[in-house]
Amino acid sequence: MAARLGHNIKAVLRQVHSIAGLALALLLSLIALTGAIISFEDEIVDHLNAGIMQVLPRSTPALMPDELVARLKAAQDFGKVSAVTLSSDPAAAVHVRFGRDEQGGRPASLYLDPYDARVLGSPRGEEFFATVRRLHRWLLIPGDAKGWGRQVTGVAALGLIVMLVSGLVLRWPRRAGSVKMWLKPNLGLSGRGLHRTLHAVIGTWVLLIYLVMTLTGLWYSFDWYKDGVAWLLSRPHVAAAKMQPKMPAKAPRVAAVSEPARPIGFDQAWTTFQREEGDRFSRALLTLPAGPGTAIRIRSWGKDSTLEATRDEFRVDAATGQLVAADRYADKTFGEKIIAAVYDIHRGAILGWPGKLAFMIAAALMPLFAITGLLLYLSRRRLRRPAQPPLGLLVPGE
């Protein structure tokens, strides 16, 4: 009786595994391959643009960021500057990013000489990787993070979790303690047997990596998932702050005599940040507020930082230079550090370059499971099809 029940459960799981695989194979392959392409984006872009990211250090002090922006606009108006990346390294160029124009496009970013604001060039590969990244996260569906592409990739991630769990149960060997049964493919087989061993054994190799990818990828797809993780891992007041709904900005009251809004700059915030951090940072990204506020967000990374997660974040009032908030990585709890490292965990960077390489290879293998899974499904259909007697053996009436 127990054996029959187990057989029925496996039959249902096989159907679920097959249906989910057939429905999501192409989508998962696309998401995985684009993820593999951007695995070493930073290293590739740095290599391609080594000639414009460094300058010859000089004895004269570097220009303040507002002066850099002013000189850039005086030479050629590329658009509204939205962010600048400054460095404590006197040989590092300044990276300037621009906001979107009226048509929704964004001009290519630029590297500037920090001593005279001379344009060094636009980084090669930036547009390519930006497109691949949008394809990976949102499938190029309009709206980007605000569109419904993020929900589609989230559903695909949930489907992959279903396939991973059902696939593990289906391939559970009778000798579960045998490492050879779990991890050694039988490459001497052919046809259906070869497809099965590739699908099952190599799937076991990457199962844990795929599970990590999906569980961290869901963070970017569903707010309920993100809020739940924050509630589970953050301190209560931090989790409550993260779950507060974003209130729409109130329309400003119209005064009797309206005065044009005074543009804000980077200098006050940059001075405050330097006073707070001294020479402990390697680079800092200063981003102007997208709305009507005056608080500039500053993200900074230490000199020994190798991960995106190990950053400090500050909010500084651009008008007064007052430090509004400081969120230092060293002050986070273990759970909050896990939350900060979601992106690094998702791409394997938390394990250094070997981890990134392992995650890249695992992602690149996704089409293998799509192809072998489809071949296994088709072969099962052929085996189940009742054999037809040869036409020559048919008699009238049959």
Side-chain angles (χ1 to χ4, degrees):
M1 185 69 180
R4 184 184 182 94
L5 178 62
H7 178 76
N8 291 338
I9 291 175
K10 282 200 170 186
V12 172
L13 286 177
R14 185 173 289 108
Q15 285 285 76
V16 171
H17 188 85
S18 298
I19 293 172
L22 290 172
L24 298 174
L26 288 177
L27 180 58
L28 287 172
S29 296
L30 175 64
I31 295 173
L33 286 176
T34 50
I37 291 172
I38 61 178
S39 293
F40 286 90
E41 174 186 354
D42 295 339
E43 291 82 357
I44 294 172
V45 170
D46 288 351
H47 176 74
L48 290 175
N49 299 285
I52 63 173
M53 295 174 66
Q54 297 290 318
V55 298
L56 184 66
R58 282 161 245 179
S59 58
T60 57
L63 298 174
M64 292 292 285
D66 286 348
E67 178 66 18
L68 280 166
V69 173
R71 292 194 185 189
L72 175 65
K73 288 186 175 182
Q76 182 177 349
D77 191 359
F78 292 90
K80 181 182 178 181
V81 173
S82 64
V84 295
T85 301
L86 303 165
S87 175
S88 62
D89 181 2
V94 175
H95 192 194
V96 177
R97 295 180 175 89
F98 301 93
R100 295 189 182 278
D101 55 28
E102 295 179 355
Q103 289 73 36
R106 191 189 299 275
S109 66
L110 295 172
Y111 279 99
L112 307 181
D113 189 314
Y115 299 98
D116 57 15
R118 180 171 55 91
V119 175
L120 302 175
S122 294
R124 290 185 293 173
E126 181 182 64
E127 185 63 30
F128 168 77
F129 282 112
T131 302
V132 174
R133 193 162 49 251
R134 290 177 57 235
L135 181 59
H136 176 73
R137 294 177 176 176
W138 310 305
L139 306 175
L140 296 181
I141 293 174
D144 291 345
K146 296 180 180 179
W148 49 273
R150 62 193 291 256
Q151 280 78 33
V152 175
T153 57
V155 170
L158 290 174
L160 181 56
I161 292 176
V162 171
M163 286 190 284
L164 293 174
V165 175
S166 58
L168 179 64
V169 175
L170 288 172
R171 81 142 307 194
W172 198 274
R174 293 179 180 178
R175 291 182 292 160
S178 171
V179 176
K180 180 180 178 181
M181 292 289 293
W182 281 107
L183 302 178
K184 184 178 180 181
N186 188 351
L187 300 180
L189 298 174
S190 60
R192 177 179 169 81
L194 179 61
H195 303 154
R196 182 178 177 81
T197 192
L198 291 176
H199 192 84
V201 177
I202 297 180
T204 303
W205 292 356
V206 299
L207 187 145
L208 183 60
I209 293 178
Y210 282 175
L211 190 61
V212 171
M213 285 179 175
T214 51
L215 291 176
T216 51
L218 288 171
W219 172 273
Y220 301 99
S221 293
F222 299 116
D223 291 334
W224 58 263
Y225 183 87
K226 188 174 185 177
D227 291 343
V229 173
W231 174 84
L232 184 65
L233 297 178
S234 295
R235 289 165 290 182
H237 68 278
V238 175
K242 289 181 181 294
M243 295 183 195
Q244 288 296 324
K246 294 182 180 179
M247 301 299 293
K250 294 182 180 180
R253 295 179 180 178
V254 179
V257 180
S258 59
E259 295 182 359
R262 184 179 179 182
I264 62 174
F266 296 99
D267 283 1
Q268 291 271 29
W270 177 236
T271 301
T272 300
F273 170 76
Q274 287 182 306
R275 185 173 64 247
E276 288 288 326
E277 286 293 273
D279 61 351
R280 293 190 297 272
F281 75 100
S282 64
R283 60 187 173 95
L285 170 61
L286 287 69
T287 305
L288 291 175
T294 59
I296 288 182
R297 183 182 69 181
I298 303 178
R299 290 179 173 177
S300 69
W301 291 264
K303 293 184 177 180
D304 57 348
S305 175
T306 58
L307 297 175
E308 179 70 20
T310 55
R311 65 173 184 261
D312 298 330
E313 186 163 328
F314 305 88
R315 301 277 175 168
V316 182
D317 191 314
T320 64
Q322 180 182 0
L323 180 64
V324 178
D327 183 15
R328 297 183 183 276
Y329 180 78
D331 296 335
K332 296 180 184 292
T333 64
F334 177 72
E336 290 162 0
K337 288 181 178 179
I338 292 177
I339 291 175
V342 164
Y343 177 64
D344 290 320
I345 296 172
H346 181 71
R347 62 192 185 127
I350 198 76
L351 302 175
W353 73 262
K356 290 173 69 172
L357 181 62
F359 274 55
M360 183 191 73
I361 293 174
L365 285 173
M366 183 62 76
L368 171 69
F369 304 114
I371 294 171
T372 54
L374 178 61
L375 292 174
L376 287 170
Y377 172 79
L378 294 176
S379 64
R380 281 200 305 273
R381 290 289 300 268
R382 284 195 298 268
L383 291 173
R384 290 174 183 172
R385 189 178 302 160
Q388 297 292 331
L391 292 177
L393 300 180
L394 292 176
V395 296
E398 289 187 331

